[in-house]
Amino acid sequence: MLKPETLSIQGPVGLLETIYLPAQGNARGVAVINHPNPLQGGTNTNKVIQTAAKALTGLGFHCYLPNLRGVGNSGGEHDYGRGETEDCIRVIDYARAQHPELEKFVLAGFSFGGYVANFAAQEREPDMLLLMGAALNHYTDRPEPQAAPNPNKTLIIHGAEDEVVEIKKVLAWAEPQDIPVIAIAGSTHFFHGKLIALRDTVARFSPVVLD
């Protein structure tokens, strides 16, 4: 496996420190994966998004994991999802411009990162929207997450025992759109002890959604 690189991508309010993981084998697309809430310590080194990236690189995706504004060495200040959505879109455009010959595009996020990914998907519709432990119907001080732009291209994975974003919130968001929710039995919000199950679930179901 090729070693990850750290890139500096120009964002709306400063540079965005971004981990780049190249695709393994025959490349088929790019993926942008967003980290959890930085107010609770979320960064692009988070184990959940790193696990998702390993699964997606194995499926042939060049993965970009940005530190959104105010996180790590990225410029700007935390903006509760609004500015972070702009950051995400900028990274998407950069990533796709680096690989213009590759058509497939995955947009993903964990927890707060799933909240951001969902809004960014309204502007840059992905071939797969991957939401892991996503903050759906969760925040009371900001806009509610919009419906997925394409429910048939949305993959939701959630911990059955999630203590941060209760699975019933996600089910309530998914139900009107007829989006299945894959629950990992025994898993809490951070998928402690269930990262291999998460990796295998992403690897197993992503091809179904993408194809």
Side-chain angles (χ1 to χ4, degrees), residues 7-22:
L7 310 175
S8 293
I9 298 173
Q10 184 61 55
V13 294
L15 295 175
L16 296 168
E17 180 183 36
T18 303
I19 294 173
Y20 165 62
L21 290 161

Side-chain angles (χ1 to χ4, degrees), residues 85 111-120 122 129 131 134-149 156 165 169-170 172-174 176-177:
T85 297
S111 196
F112 169 79
Y115 178 83
V116 170
N118 189 57
F119 281 101
Q122 311 301 321
L129 176 61
L131 303 174
L136 301 170
N137 290 337
H138 179 66
Y139 298 117
T140 60
D141 59 345
R142 62 196 74 175
E144 285 292 310
Q146 296 168 270
I156 301 176
V165 182
K169 295 180 179 180
V170 177
W173 183 82
Q177 306 175 70

Side-chain angles (χ1 to χ4, degrees), residues 1-5 20-25 53 56-58 60-63:
M1 181 176 179
L2 296 175
K3 293 184 178 180
E5 301 178 31
Y20 165 62
L21 290 161
Q24 301 179 48
L56 290 169
T57 57
F61 286 87
H62 297 290
C63 291

Side-chain angles (χ1 to χ4, degrees), residues 158-163 183-194 197:
H158 212 83
E161 306 300 327
D162 194 319
E163 75 287 9
I184 296 184
S187 178
T188 57
H189 184 62
F190 290 95
F191 298 92
H192 292 308
K194 298 293 183 178

Side-chain angles (χ1 to χ4, degrees), residues 35-46 49 66-68 70-72 110 112 190:
H35 60 70
N37 196 336
L39 299 182
Q40 278 78 52
T43 73
N44 63 1
T45 61
N46 172 266
I49 67 168
N67 268 337
L68 301 170
V71 181
F110 165 51
F112 169 79
F190 290 95

Side-chain angles (χ1 to χ4, degrees), residues 74-175:
S74 293
E77 298 179 355
H78 181 67
D79 195 32
Y80 301 91
R82 294 176 293 269
E84 287 83 357
T85 297
E86 297 174 1
D87 295 341
C88 179
I89 291 170
R90 193 66 64 88
V91 175
I92 291 168
D93 291 346
Y94 174 90
R96 302 200 77 177
Q98 302 310 300
H99 312 278
E101 75 286 0
L102 303 178
E103 295 183 357
K104 294 292 185 180
F105 161 50
V106 171
L107 179 54
F110 165 51
S111 196
F112 169 79
Y115 178 83
V116 170
N118 189 57
F119 281 101
Q122 311 301 321
E123 303 294 329
R124 300 290 189 274
E125 184 174 339
D127 295 289
M128 181 176 74
L129 176 61
L130 170 60
L131 303 174
M132 301 166 290
L136 301 170
N137 290 337
H138 179 66
Y139 298 117
T140 60
D141 59 345
R142 62 196 74 175
E144 285 292 310
Q146 296 168 270
N150 188 341
N152 292 330
K153 294 295 184 180
T154 302
L155 176 59
I156 301 176
I157 305 172
H158 212 83
E161 306 300 327
D162 194 319
E163 75 287 9
V164 176
V165 182
E166 294 180 338
I167 194 169
K168 66 181 181 181
K169 295 180 179 180
V170 177
L171 292 170
W173 183 82
E175 188 274 331

